[in-house]
Amino acid sequence: GEDVEQSLFLSVREGDSSVINCTYTDSSSTYLYWYKQEPGAGLQLLTYIFSNMDMKQDQRLTVLLNKKDKHLSLRIADTQTGDSAIYFCAERPAGTASKLTFGTGTRLQVTL
Amino acid sequence: DAGVTQSPTHLIKTRGQQVTLRCSPKSGHDTVSWYQQALGQGPQFIFQYYEEEERQRGNFPDRFSGHQFPNYSSELNVNALLLGDSALYLCASSPLGAGELFFGEGSRLTVL
């Protein structure tokens, strides 16, 4: 079955880089996603990567995908206090249009 | 361009009642899906609608039903509410087959 795991908490200093990690089990995953959720809010799509790619960069965000190890990471460069939030990793199995399996989220705390 | 919009934002019901939540997809999106996010958890897929039909369903009982209208908007209905149905209900939209999936701000349901 599908399962996505993330560490629960990460604390970084403002200006440093943050790396949030995620592992998944479904080898048929077509897309993998990173979402950000601030308190009381919905999910904000940060970025997503197709499974035949191993890297995607978008401004301060870099996504790395190791399909062999089923490992996904999100690097945030020059982390700011506004980046403090919960970050969810999600995978989309083959044959589905919008059925994502989410991890339990990583809370990122940015300190001054 | 308005994103995914949901209503109401908050509501309180009592056990046994019924609730209807509404969603308007992002412009140009024809596929709508619904997720339930319990406190401290990642979202769980309920079902997906395309061309006014339920196409995929997650592990939710028949008390959860939905509808999609010709203008692609959607409703989620939950009957015979239980305390455990208290959660944030998120609507997501996408063009069919595309990688991107955008979420609304959610409807927070409290069942007393």
Side-chain angles (χ1 to χ4, degrees), chain A residues 64-98:
Chain A
L64 296 179
L65 174 60
N66 181 327
K67 201 171 179 182
K68 174 177 168 288
D69 294 338
K70 301 190 186 71
H71 182 267
L72 183 74
S73 68
L74 174 70
R75 178 178 179 269
I76 306 172
D78 187 25
T79 312
Q80 303 296 307
T81 54
D83 295 324
S84 293
I86 299 176
Y87 290 79
F88 289 97
C89 165
E91 59 96 14
R92 182 174 121 185
T96 69
S98 54

Side-chain angles (χ1 to χ4, degrees), chain A residues 9-20:
Chain A
F9 183 76
L10 176 66
S11 181
V12 298
R13 289 196 171 195
E14 189 178 40
D16 287 350
S17 292
S18 308
V19 179
I20 304 172

